[in-house]
Amino acid sequence: MLEKNTDRFIVGTALAFAASTLWPIVKNTLKPLAETGTQSTAGLTGRIQYALQIARDEMEDIVAEAQFERMRKRLDQEISAESSSAGETGGTLRAE
């Protein structure tokens, strides 16, 4: 039992020493990688927002064109209805 505890103590001490020695190296290596990852993420986020804005603009254009076509057809129908009713009343259009 005492031998197991001694082995664990030696291994733990060696790991603590190795970790304290290797930590500055790991820190200096990972810091630039983290900064690069952050910059890449920001760039990707910007590109995604740009693509979504373009898609939104395109959808708004499609909806606006459909609304315009619907309004144009309705006006054409109203004009043709007024023209046909004017033909029945003697050919004069009256403003109402």
Side-chain angles (χ1 to χ4, degrees):
M1 181 77 161
L2 185 60
E3 189 176 306
K4 267 188 172 178
N5 288 338
T6 305
D7 288 344
R8 289 181 182 174
F9 178 75
I10 291 172
V11 170
T13 304
L15 286 174
F17 179 73
S20 66
T21 304
L22 293 175
W23 178 247
I25 296 169
V26 171
K27 182 180 169 185
N28 291 335
T29 303
L30 292 179
K31 188 175 181 179
L33 290 176
E35 289 174 358
T36 302
T38 303
Q39 291 172 353
S40 297
T41 301
L44 181 62
T45 302
R47 283 183 274 177
I48 290 172
Q49 287 176 341
Y50 178 72
L52 288 175
Q53 183 63 41
I54 289 175
R56 182 181 302 131
D57 291 345
E58 290 294 323
M59 289 301 296
E60 287 174 355
D61 288 347
I62 291 169
V63 169
E65 287 177 16
Q67 289 174 340
F68 175 78
E69 285 298 318
R70 192 177 307 140
M71 182 181 67
R72 186 182 62 79
K73 286 180 182 179
R74 190 176 337 124
L75 288 173
D76 287 346
Q77 288 174 351
E78 289 176 7
I79 290 171
S80 66
E82 285 182 12
S83 296
S84 65
S85 67
E88 294 171 1
T89 60
T92 59
L93 289 175
R94 289 183 272 160
E96 296 180 25

